[in-house]
Amino acid sequence: ELLVVILIIGILAAIAIPSLLNQRSKASDASAKEVAHSAQIAAETYATDHSGTYESLSPTKLHEYEGSIQTATGNSNAWLSVAEGKELNSGFVVTATSTNGDKFTITRTSTGVITRTCELKAGNNIGGCPAGTW
């Protein structure tokens, strides 16, 4: 009887462990999505304070507006980068990278259209990036 109980516990553990590991990746991705969203709001606030322009927008500026935004790896569950070398007067591109390497990007075009895209790290087929958008 004890052997049957141990066998049943082993089967249940084999079912539960992969599910729990997937949740960790999803949590990391959710954290990165929240950083990207916070950066989007901070960028909009920055533009409001600068006559509607995103000129000179940088991770440092966004961190000044929202202190929870981390701008370097290792500081948080996710970190942020802002597109450099692009014309940012009328739009912005912010990218948050999760600890498992997935990237979540929010882009605001000059016409005000906002798109959210994601890119899974090579070999990572789990997480919070369904079909390349979120």
Side-chain angles (χ1 to χ4, degrees), residues 98-118:
S98 68
T99 55
N100 60 4
D102 296 342
K103 294 182 179 185
F104 297 89
T105 302
I106 298 179
T107 304
R108 182 189 186 278
T109 64
S110 59
T111 60
V113 175
I114 295 177
T115 58
R116 292 173 178 84
T117 57
C118 54

Side-chain angles (χ1 to χ4, degrees), residues 17-36:
I17 288 175
S19 178
L20 292 175
L21 293 176
N22 187 18
Q23 296 304 317
R24 184 175 182 186
S25 177
K26 286 182 180 180
S28 176
D29 286 351
S31 177
K33 288 177 185 179
E34 181 56 35
V35 169

Side-chain angles (χ1 to χ4, degrees), residues 33-129:
K33 288 177 185 179
E34 181 56 35
V35 169
H37 179 68
S38 295
Q40 174 191 0
I41 292 173
E44 298 292 350
T45 304
Y46 175 88
T48 300
D49 291 347
H50 292 88
S51 303
T53 182
Y54 298 93
E55 187 176 355
S56 301
L57 186 63
S58 68
T60 305
K61 294 284 185 188
L62 292 176
H63 182 72
E64 290 173 9
Y65 278 83
E66 177 55 59
S68 66
I69 296 174
Q70 301 299 321
T71 57
T73 58
N75 292 343
S76 180
N77 290 336
W79 57 281
L80 175 76
S81 64
V82 175
E84 296 178 17
K86 292 190 76 168
E87 179 60 46
L88 294 175
N89 288 336
S90 55
F92 62 84
V93 178
V94 292
T95 302
T97 305
S98 68
T99 55
N100 60 4
D102 296 342
K103 294 182 179 185
F104 297 89
T105 302
I106 298 179
T107 304
R108 182 189 186 278
T109 64
S110 59
T111 60
V113 175
I114 295 177
T115 58
R116 292 173 178 84
T117 57
C118 54
E119 176 185 331
L120 291 175
K121 180 180 177 184
N124 187 6
N125 60 356
I126 57 175
C129 183

